[in-house]
Structure formats: structure tokens, C-alpha cells
């Protein structure tokens, strides 16, 4: 008997292809091994969308998610603080009774309601109030000039001036208010209207009113108080 020669690789491959499909599948089963395990992208601060559950996260991924949540909370809290700050400033500067805007509106109403101011400026509906005069017509909407100070007794004073204009003339309104310690509200000390070429018009003069009340009046030669 002649000795068998070893099969070369090409001949072995052709023989393998000639086998039935079920035989080839059985023969190559050991080459396939276990089914591939599905992989996922590592969770980071930038790409974490919360789809991966906490228990499936690694230590590093848990740290990334915690950092992300902390940053989000910080942004939300910062937004709330900024919103609260804006609301507070808006209230104190516009809506509060002692805000500059409220005091300005009160003073304008006093000027328009005064018969003496109407004689000098014109009808109430045609009297306009604005800040410092300027050649730029858009600048008339800027805030009026105002300041606060405290006297020797610790009482707070508010000073304000603005311009008024009507069909008959124009002038400057000066406001001096003092905060009442009992009510913490500003009360008029004086409110004047200065028109060029005319005497100062006192719309409010608390000192003169108090002096007039203190002097009382005379009747049949007697001083009544």
C-alpha cells in the first residue's frame, strides 16, 4: 500500500466547501464562540441624557452624572436669584410708594391739578414732564435727576427736579420730601414751580402751613389757636 500524502491547505478548503451545509455549520460552531455583547458609549458630562440607569454606570460615569446634575441645579438657582433681583429692583424703582417713579408721578399730578400752574403752563392734559432738556428728542425719556441725604437728626430727605412744558410756557419743578419716621413714607416739605421771569410758585410748603396753623387766627381782637 502506498503511503498517504498530507493534504495541502487549498485541497482541504475545497473539501470543506463540498460538505453539506449542516456539517459545515457544526464544524465551525467552535469558531463562532459566544454572541457579541452590545457595547454603549461612555457616559460623560457632555453627552449624558439620563437613558442609562444609575446601577449600570461605572464609578467615573456616576461622578460625571453627579457633576452634571450639580451644574444644572446651579444654573437654575442662579436664574432664580437673578429673576428675584430684577423683580426687587423693578418694585423698588417703579411700583413701591416711595420709588422715584411713584414720587415723580405724584409731583406731576400735583402740578397738573394746581390752578396756578395751569395759568402759567396751560390745560392739565397738555402739560408734559420730562428730564433734563436736550437737543436729542429721544433723550427726554431718561430718568429725572434725584438724590437722597440724611440730616443731623437722621431723617432721610429726597430731592428731585424735572422740567414741565405746556402751551403757555415751561418751567422747572423742584421737589423736597422728607421720610416720616413713624410711617416710613415720604411727605412733602415743599413743591415749587419756577418759571423764568415769574416769582416761584409754591404748590406745597409744609413749613409755611405749619407756621400758619400755629399762629391761628384773630376774632374780635383775640388770638385763637
Amino acid at each position: 500500500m502506498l503511503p498517504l500524502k498530507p493534504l495541502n491547505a487549498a485541497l482541504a478548503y475545497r473539501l470543506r466547501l463540498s460538505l453539506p451545509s449542516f456539517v459545515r455549520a457544526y464544524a465551525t460552531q467552535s469558531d463562532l464562540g459566544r454572541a457579541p455583547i452590545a457595547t454603549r458609549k461612555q457616559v460623560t458630562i457632555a453627552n449624558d441624557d439620563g437613558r442609562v440607569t444609575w446601577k449600570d454606570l461605572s464609578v467615573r460615569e456616576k461622578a460625571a452624572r453627579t457633576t452634571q446634575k450639580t451644574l444644572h441645579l446651579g444654573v437654575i438657582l442662579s436664574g432664580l436669584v437673578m429673576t428675584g433681583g430684577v423683580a426687587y429692583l423693578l418694585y423698588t424703582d417703579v411700583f413701591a410708594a416711595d420709588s422715584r417713579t411713584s414720587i415723580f408721578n405724584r409731583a406731576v399730578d400735583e402740578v397738573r391739578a394746581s390752578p396756578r400752574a395751569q395759568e402759567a403752563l396751560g390745560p392739565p392734559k397738555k402739560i408734559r414732564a420730562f428730564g433734563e432738556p436736550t437737543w436729542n428728542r429721544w433723550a427726554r425719556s431718561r430718568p429725572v435727576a434725584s438724590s437722597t441725604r440724611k440730616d443731623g437728626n437722621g431723617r432721610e430727605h429726597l430731592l428731585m427736579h424735572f422740567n414741565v412744558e405746556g402751551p403757555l410756557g415751561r418751567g422747572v419743578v423742584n421737589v423736597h420730601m422728607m421720610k416720616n419716621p413713624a410711617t416710613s413714607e415720604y411727605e412733602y416739605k415743599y413743591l415749587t414751580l419756577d418759571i423764568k421771569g415769574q416769582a416761584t410758585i409754591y404748590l406745597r410748603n409744609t413749613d409755611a402751613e405749619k407756621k400758619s396753623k400755629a399762629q391761628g387766627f384773630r376774632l374780635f381782637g383775640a388770638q385763637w389757636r
Side-chain angles (χ1 to χ4, degrees), residues 76-98:
I76 294 173
L77 292 178
S78 299
L80 292 176
V81 171
M82 293 180 63
T83 302
V86 171
Y88 175 79
L89 292 176
L90 187 63
Y91 173 78
T92 55
D93 290 344
V94 178
F95 298 108
D98 58 350

Side-chain angles (χ1 to χ4, degrees), residues 21-225:
S21 60
F22 71 90
V23 176
R24 283 188 279 111
Y26 178 80
T28 57
Q29 186 175 7
S30 59
D31 297 334
L32 295 176
R34 291 180 300 176
I37 300 175
T39 59
R40 60 174 175 80
K41 192 175 182 180
Q42 184 179 7
V43 174
T44 63
I45 297 176
N47 66 10
D48 186 13
D49 56 6
R51 294 182 182 180
V52 182
T53 60
W54 178 263
K55 65 179 182 179
D56 294 331
L57 297 176
S58 65
V59 176
R60 179 178 294 182
E61 290 174 331
K62 289 181 179 179
R65 176 168 293 182
T66 303
T67 303
Q68 184 194 66
K69 298 300 183 184
T70 303
L71 292 176
H72 288 174
L73 180 61
V75 171
I76 294 173
L77 292 178
S78 299
L80 292 176
V81 171
M82 293 180 63
T83 302
V86 171
Y88 175 79
L89 292 176
L90 187 63
Y91 173 78
T92 55
D93 290 344
V94 178
F95 298 108
D98 58 350
S99 67
R100 303 294 188 272
T101 302
S102 296
I103 292 174
F104 169 76
N105 291 333
R106 287 169 55 188
V108 173
D109 291 339
E110 292 269 358
V111 173
R112 289 172 175 169
S114 171
R116 298 182 63 188
Q118 295 175 18
E119 292 177 2
L121 301 175
K125 294 184 179 180
K126 294 186 177 181
I127 297 176
R128 299 184 297 112
F130 51 92
E132 296 299 321
T134 176
W135 293 104
N136 183 0
R137 63 188 181 91
W138 299 107
R140 286 194 172 187
S141 60
R142 62 184 175 181
V144 298
S146 64
S147 62
T148 57
R149 62 178 177 82
K150 289 188 177 182
D151 58 21
N153 297 322
R155 292 175 297 185
E156 186 174 334
H157 295 251
L158 183 142
L159 305 175
M160 176 185 294
H161 70 271
F162 56 89
N163 296 272
V164 290
E165 185 178 40
L168 303 180
R170 59 185 304 170
V172 178
V173 176
N174 292 284
V175 182
H176 184 175
M177 304 187 81
M178 186 170 60
K179 182 171 287 189
N180 188 333
T183 61
S184 297
E185 295 181 356
Y186 280 111
E187 298 176 351
Y188 280 110
K189 187 173 178 63
Y190 65 75
L191 174 64
T192 64
L193 171 61
D194 292 322
I195 298 176
K196 189 175 181 179
Q198 299 184 25
T200 299
I201 299 175
Y202 282 87
L203 307 178
R204 288 291 190 95
N205 191 344
T206 304
D207 293 339
E209 292 173 359
K210 290 180 178 179
K211 184 177 180 181
S212 177
K213 291 180 180 180
Q215 290 178 349
F217 63 96
R218 287 181 176 275
L219 182 63
F220 303 114
Q223 182 72 31
W224 297 82
R225 296 182 181 274

Side-chain angles (χ1 to χ4, degrees), residues 4-22:
L4 296 176
K5 296 181 179 180
L7 298 177
N8 56 32
L11 181 58
Y13 178 73
R14 286 196 296 270
L15 290 174
R16 184 177 180 181
L17 292 179
S18 64
L19 295 174
S21 60
F22 71 90

